[in-house]
Amino acid sequence: MVELTKFFNGYLEQEPLFKNKKVLQSNYTPENISHRDEQVKNIAGILAPVLRMEKPSNLFLYGKTGSGKTVVSKYVTSQILAIAREKNLPIEIIYLNCKLKRVADTEYRLISQLAKEFGLDIPPTGLPTDEVYKIFLKHIDHDKKLIILILDEIDQLIKKAGDEILYNLTRINFELKNVELSVIGISNDLLFMDNIDPRVKSSLSEEEMVFPPYNALQIQDILRDRSKAAFIEGTLSDGVIEKCAAYAAREHGDARRALELLRVAGEVAERRTKQIINVEDIDEAEEKIEKDRVLDAVHTQPKQFQLTLLSILDVADKTEDPIFTSDIYEVYKELCVKVGLKPLTQRRVSDIIAELDMLGIINARVISKGRYGRTREIKLGLPSSTIPNIRTTLKEGLNL
DNA sequence: GTCAATTCACATGAAAGAGACCACGGTCTAGTG
DNA sequence: CTAGACCGTGGTCTCTTTCATGTGAATTGACGA
């Protein structure tokens, strides 16, 4: 007990490194955005008609993760909203992230979430989808209004739920008398528009814009800018920002990643009761992020995923040779018997492996071995130091 | 040696089912006056 | 008479299975030099 009090007191006495940690979190919208002037101006130009109560064009933003799409659109729309409030214009801006599970990853949920934004209470399930549409439209069409709907990671939504949603969304404008709806779609996938119903495509992407990735110097600028607000002065030793930027630039200029790296490095240093963040902390942060990501994925995925991953770990442990789907499946079946779980078909396990790849936990590549068929070649993309940790967590979760 | 056909071992797609969860409306039951 | 309990129906959603089709290059075997 005494120990703990001492610890907490010590913690309080210690000089904090952070001035304002929020600045480094990914949902933070800074007051000025560096290196994205052109995009800001363009989007502002496209959206400006709302302030005259005219429906702006639908807009599509493309770009790799962490290239500022979300930040820029949030920034511009928040400015618009501020002016609209001032002048009492009935403008609503709704931001939905389609990737978040149970928020907007199906048509039903998208509409019900939308309805919730307007104060309607839609049950999470049970109603027919068109019923929800009706309720929503009826509620919304009372008075004149302009709505800008930002759909982040819209490619995820389309992939899961088909492109009818987009068609329905564009149709809303025909069905409603008083309300006009513009859509801003944000996508990481540059190619995803290609397999979409051409009618929808033409009506939805009236304007398009591509966000190029940041280069290392630009990321440095961003980091410097934000770290000024985030850290107490003098806590960053030389080279820290440069190194963070370099890491992130290697990953196609992902600014979000750079910021996360910096924040976690700060947390690592703080936990060590250090006064200064230096370059080594970044390496540790990198590893910690990776580990947390995997561990988190492991915990949230169903048992079958965990079992499959464990099989992969086991196989990877035993052999240096490349691993193929069938190897995994054999081990997986044995493990199923041990745990007392009904083994899934190979078809399904194959999908699970593909999904683990998507999560970035493993690296799976489809290769052809010519006469000897086609299969996935699986490699572990994890730092080897984290593997034992992950394995024990998995085993505990599965009572092994 | 060259070239096209063959062939393997899965990948990938599509459709449909199981089971959990839920809303709604109708019917039944019990409590109330 | 009315509120609540209790169905049955019909809906979504996730995870699976079943069935069908696709696929890339090593191998094969015919062919000509």
Side-chain angles (χ1 to χ4, degrees):
Chain A
M1 243 348 189
V2 183
E3 284 294 308
L4 211 52
T5 333
K6 220 157 116 193
F7 168 75
F8 282 136
N9 281 331
Y11 178 83
L12 281 176
E13 272 164 33
Q14 180 205 339
E15 292 278 314
L17 296 173
F18 289 105
K19 203 159 37 174
N20 181 6
K21 206 191 277 187
K22 261 193 242 141
V23 179
L24 292 179
Q25 263 145 16
S26 59
N27 53 7
Y28 175 80
T29 313
E31 271 137 46
N32 50 352
I33 295 172
S34 8
H35 302 292
R36 283 289 177 260
D37 298 343
E38 198 186 317
Q39 282 81 3
V40 169
K41 235 189 276 168
N42 272 336
I43 295 179
I46 291 165
L47 295 184
V50 277
L51 294 173
R52 282 201 220 116
M53 294 309 286
E54 292 162 20
K55 176 187 174 306
S57 300
N58 292 324
L59 171 64
F60 250 86
L61 306 180
Y62 297 99
K64 295 257 175 67
T65 44
S67 55
K69 304 178 298 291
T70 309
V71 169
V72 168
S73 45
K74 273 191 173 173
Y75 172 74
V76 175
T77 50
S78 70
Q79 301 281 317
I80 287 178
L81 203 58
I83 295 179
R85 289 274 172 276
E86 206 175 285
K87 307 213 161 158
N88 246 335
L89 298 172
I91 294 171
E92 297 278 348
I93 290 169
I94 297 169
Y95 173 87
L96 290 181
N97 189 334
C98 306
K99 200 182 172 183
L100 294 179
K101 288 241 167 189
R102 306 184 181 284
V103 174
D105 56 348
T106 67
E107 180 164 22
Y108 182 96
R109 296 218 259 252
L110 176 68
I111 301 302
S112 75
Q113 192 63 35
L114 220 49
K116 262 181 211 144
E117 298 284 335
F118 287 94
L120 250 68
D121 198 23
I122 303 280
T125 170
L127 294 177
T129 305
D130 45 342
E131 190 69 23
V132 181
Y133 260 110
K134 261 188 238 155
I135 297 173
F136 173 61
L137 295 183
K138 206 170 133 201
H139 178 265
I140 218 179
D141 203 18
H142 281 317
D143 29 37
K144 202 163 166 56
K145 215 180 286 178
L146 268 175
I147 302 172
I148 296 178
L149 175 60
I150 306 173
L151 294 176
D152 205 346
E153 319 233 13
I154 195 171
D155 43 335
Q156 301 288 327
L157 176 67
I158 305 302
K159 212 188 310 167
K160 278 193 66 179
D163 51 10
E164 272 169 54
I165 300 175
L166 296 182
Y167 181 68
N168 290 338
L169 279 179
T170 56
R171 241 188 31 203
I172 285 184
N173 277 326
F174 297 106
E175 292 196 11
L176 294 182
K177 297 234 158 45
N178 295 318
V179 174
E180 293 199 273
L181 177 87
S182 297
V183 178
I184 300 179
I186 301 180
S187 163
N188 298 323
D189 184 358
L190 286 150
L191 300 171
F192 108 103
M193 259 297 179
D194 292 353
N195 356 321
I196 278 183
D197 191 333
R199 287 175 304 162
V200 177
K201 194 176 165 183
S202 63
S203 72
L204 208 55
S205 57
E206 293 162 337
E207 302 271 358
E208 287 186 5
M209 203 180 297
V210 177
F211 279 61
Y214 296 106
N215 65 34
L217 286 175
Q218 291 170 334
I219 292 183
Q220 283 184 26
D221 274 353
I222 294 169
L223 289 179
R224 259 189 217 109
D225 206 35
R226 297 241 198 148
S227 61
K228 252 183 247 158
F231 292 106
I232 307 279
E233 214 168 309
T235 41
L236 289 176
S237 69
D238 289 347
V240 168
I241 284 184
E242 285 76 5
K243 182 153 187 187
C244 276
Y247 261 124
R250 211 178 47 196
E251 304 260 334
H252 59 251
D254 187 343
R256 187 183 332 189
R257 204 176 147 70
L259 289 166
E260 189 185 13
L261 206 54
L262 196 56
R263 175 174 56 85
V264 175
E267 284 167 5
V268 167
E270 197 168 59
R271 201 159 308 156
R272 291 262 178 81
T273 65
K274 282 163 59 172
Q275 302 295 317
I276 285 173
I277 302 167
N278 47 31
V279 179
E280 292 83 61
D281 295 325
I282 296 178
D283 289 320
E284 198 164 320
E286 164 99 342
E287 203 164 291
K288 183 173 173 343
I289 289 173
E290 185 72 4
K291 198 180 78 191
D292 287 354
R293 196 169 55 82
V294 175
L295 247 35
D296 185 57
V298 164
H299 278 124
T300 51
Q301 294 300 322
K303 273 225 161 58
Q304 297 288 2
F305 274 68
Q306 304 182 9
L307 211 52
T308 311
L309 182 56
L310 189 58
S311 313
I312 296 172
L313 288 180
D314 276 1
V315 177
D317 214 23
K318 281 199 202 90
T319 170
E320 286 297 305
D321 298 338
I323 313 164
F324 304 117
T325 305
S326 55
D327 305 338
I328 304 293
Y329 189 61
E330 288 308 312
V331 176
Y332 161 81
K333 271 196 292 191
E334 281 170 34
L335 276 177
C336 273
V337 175
K338 251 192 236 167
V339 183
L341 230 57
K342 193 171 145 263
L344 301 175
T345 44
Q346 181 160 336
R347 174 73 186 81
R348 180 62 187 140
V349 172
S350 169
D351 276 351
I352 290 177
I353 292 174
E355 281 171 57
L356 286 173
D357 179 41
M358 287 278 288
L359 288 169
I361 297 175
I362 60 173
N363 282 317
R365 199 161 54 96
V366 179
I367 56 159
S368 175
K369 293 189 290 171
R371 188 61 211 275
Y372 305 106
R374 241 159 93 81
T375 186
R376 272 203 185 82
E377 191 184 58
I378 298 156
K379 280 193 215 118
L380 282 175
L382 303 171
S384 48
S385 56
T386 59
I387 290 178
N389 197 330
I390 291 166
R391 187 198 296 265
T392 45
T393 323
L394 274 172
K395 288 201 171 171
E396 274 166 26
L398 296 160
N399 300 323
L400 259 171

